[in-house]
Amino acid sequence: MVKLISEKISYKKSNEGLQVIILGKIERWKEALLTAWLLAWIFCGGVVLNEYLVAVDRERRMVFIIFLIFWAYYLWRVGKTWMFRRGGNELIKVTEYEIVLKRSFFTFGNSKHYRIDQLEEFKKIEISKTSFAYTFENAWWVLGGERLGFSYGSKFVKFGMQLSDTETNQLFDLIKKQIKKAKKSDL
């Protein structure tokens, strides 16, 4: 049976473990603004590309190339955010042996598997609410703002994008219990 933590977080417990889905959906007006931003970005890039194609001066062409590289990078970033906000989600699966994390764009995405016995220090990620990083990471027009994470080998793995404090606490407790249960059964 599927249970809700909030409008955007649902979970299901079964014999196989815990499965959590965090939806990337935002309000319709925000989605419309993001779509308008994406279309305006594409239009501006098209104008600059057209100017590059008609330019004959070498220095001017070089400036256009540099601008188009910058433009393409941010087109990729805005495009990823737009796809995630339209139909993306985060899947967190905790089984007896592993944690599986998947950031899906519609149905596409790569799963990353982490063994429970190699997992260290599962914790909440705290960022000061008065910092610029907190404001930027939790903006609806970017992907980021992960609130949970764990040490795994030499890296720190983050997940749980843009959760409220209440959602973070509830999800943290839920996953922590499942990890403890999995580690006990491993002994």
Side-chain angles (χ1 to χ4, degrees), residues 125-131 133-135 137-138 145-147:
I125 299 170
E126 301 291 337
I127 299 175
S128 171
K129 290 186 179 180
T130 58
S131 72
Y134 179 85
T135 304
E137 288 286 319
N138 286 301
E146 291 89 349
R147 300 290 305 268

Side-chain angles (χ1 to χ4, degrees), residues 60-170:
R60 185 175 293 184
R61 288 178 70 93
M62 186 57 95
V63 169
F64 287 139
I65 288 172
I66 292 169
F67 178 87
L68 287 170
I69 291 169
F70 162 81
W71 173 85
Y73 171 73
Y74 282 100
L75 177 64
W76 170 250
R77 297 275 311 257
V78 173
K80 270 179 62 174
T81 302
W82 181 81
M83 287 190 331
F84 188 77
R85 297 301 185 199
R86 297 267 310 169
N89 62 55
E90 280 184 278
L91 170 69
I92 305 154
K93 201 173 193 180
V94 183
T95 67
E96 189 176 339
Y97 304 105
E98 67 182 355
I99 291 183
V100 179
L101 301 177
K102 180 179 181 183
R103 190 176 290 177
S104 296
F105 298 89
F106 296 99
T107 58
F108 303 102
N110 294 327
S111 298
K112 295 181 181 169
H113 300 257
Y114 304 95
R115 293 176 44 127
I116 292 279
D117 59 349
Q118 295 178 2
L119 184 133
E120 301 170 16
E121 192 184 8
F122 176 62
K123 64 180 186 176
K124 295 183 256 184
I125 299 170
E126 301 291 337
I127 299 175
S128 171
K129 290 186 179 180
T130 58
S131 72
F132 175 74
Y134 179 85
T135 304
F136 180 75
E137 288 286 319
N138 286 301
W140 52 268
W141 59 83
V142 297
L143 291 182
E146 291 89 349
R147 300 290 305 268
L148 300 172
F150 55 86
S151 296
Y152 190 80
S154 62
K155 64 181 179 176
F156 189 75
V157 179
K158 301 186 294 183
F159 61 95
M161 291 190 304
Q162 299 177 345
L163 303 175
S164 69
D165 289 339
T166 305
E167 292 169 333
T168 301
N169 292 331
Q170 290 176 340

